[in-house]
Amino acid sequence: MIPKKYISDLRVYEPGKPIEEVARELGFDDIAEIVKVASNENELGPSPLAAEAMREAIPEMHRYPDGGAFYLKQKLAEKLSVDPENLLFGCGSNELIVFLCHVFMEQGKNLIMGAEAFAVYFLANALYGGETIRVPMPEHVHDLDAMLAAITPETRLVCICNPNNPTGTMLPPEAIDAFIEQLPDHVVAVFDEAYFEVMPDAMKPDVLKHIRAGKKNIIVLRTFSKAYGLAGLRIGYAVAHPELINLLNKVRQPFNVNLMAQSAALAALDDVTHMVETREMVFQGLEFFQAELPKLGIETVPSGANFILVKTGNGREIFEELQKRKVIVRPMDPYGLPDYIRITIGTPEQNQLMLDALKSVMADKS
Ligand SMILES: *Cc1c(COP(=O)(O)O)cnc(C)c1O
């Protein structure tokens, strides 16, 4: 066999391990005792309305889903004040990133991203042989001027993750508007807003207003995986001008979003209570860590998402020590941040267990 060289050169991406696997490896019997705060999941669980909708959908599972996601598009369009033609659903918003690279990237073309931003942009780009330009992030924040300056005639995509995973940092809404004004026509700007729902209101960007006004070369990505608590179902969406949506539709498999996911997402959009509780849990948890960690001499990075980047020193070792204490976080060496770990905000009880475990690790080290 003769694979494409740029494919055979790739390494297989390692996601956070499922809780069961960690339990097996470390010999823990009761997975209920493990605190997994590694993947920015919603520790409140799925919306109860979504759970009920899933149960109701079971008898329909012999059917293919609606490939056009008609009802979901209608409902979401209304909620976002856009047209259904502005929307496209993906098997997670990760799939939409792959669609964007499928449409725009190839050898000789480049994608621009922040040096400490979400790895999937690079990984999806590599699938199509594109080059990735990584722009440094002073104070862990995207430098929009430097990203504009990095654009070449071969640039096709610029990815802006706001709030950024894994740093949690946000951009001022005015800076985003100014960036969009200066964006050259040959480049598509991708605004990944995976954590939009848990952002402080004053920091929420309004990229959708530019799309409503007819701007063609920008796209917003959101997901049901984080605040909505439906990561296991794999559903996310894109908002863009219909011309761009149509391009992405050309590379989409007809039934990319399953019926269970569509049913649950439709119900989750109505669950205002679950969203309010989720936001409260996140705000409370961020405050807790921002108050408690500095007392241990540990720096935190200001976050607008449901996780926090924490400078423990030797993040890989801290990750391993925490794991022995039944707490799973994410070491940040793959992001070029070897001194950091990323902690997902959990319930108050989980946050306390997390803090206690970290205290125990620090005590044993000193
Ligand atoms: C979690 C995440 C996503 C997408 O997740 P899906 O589960 O594929 O919807 C996209 N972007 C960022 C920055 C994320 O953190």
Side-chain angles (χ1 to χ4, degrees), residues 300-323:
T300 62
V301 175
S303 172
N306 70 340
F307 58 83
I308 187 164
L309 185 67
V310 172
K311 192 173 185 182
T312 53
N314 202 345
R316 177 64 55 176
E317 185 192 338
I318 300 279
F319 154 76
E320 274 158 17
E321 288 300 318
L322 284 171
Q323 200 162 258

Side-chain angles (χ1 to χ4, degrees), residues 72-83:
L72 190 52
K73 250 182 217 171
Q74 293 289 325
K75 179 163 226 161
L76 190 58
E78 199 172 309
K79 184 181 163 79
L80 301 177
S81 306
V82 298
D83 293 327

Side-chain angles (χ1 to χ4, degrees), residues 40 91-95 97 118 121 161 165 192 194-195 223 225-226 234-236:
N40 305 341
C91 180
S93 57
N94 276 351
E95 191 187 35
I97 298 168
F118 194 47
Y121 314 136
C161 189
N165 182 11
D192 187 340
Y195 302 93
T223 180
S225 295
K226 306 288 162 54
R234 315 303 305 123
I235 176 164

Side-chain angles (χ1 to χ4, degrees), residues 272-306:
V272 179
T273 310
H274 181 260
M275 188 57 78
V276 168
E277 287 171 1
T278 298
R279 280 172 64 86
E280 274 169 14
M281 176 184 74
V282 169
F283 295 156
Q284 194 268 342
L286 284 173
E287 252 176 57
F288 172 77
F289 284 119
Q290 276 154 359
E292 296 299 325
L293 292 173
K295 292 183 196 164
L296 306 178
I298 296 175
E299 270 175 51
T300 62
V301 175
S303 172
N306 70 340

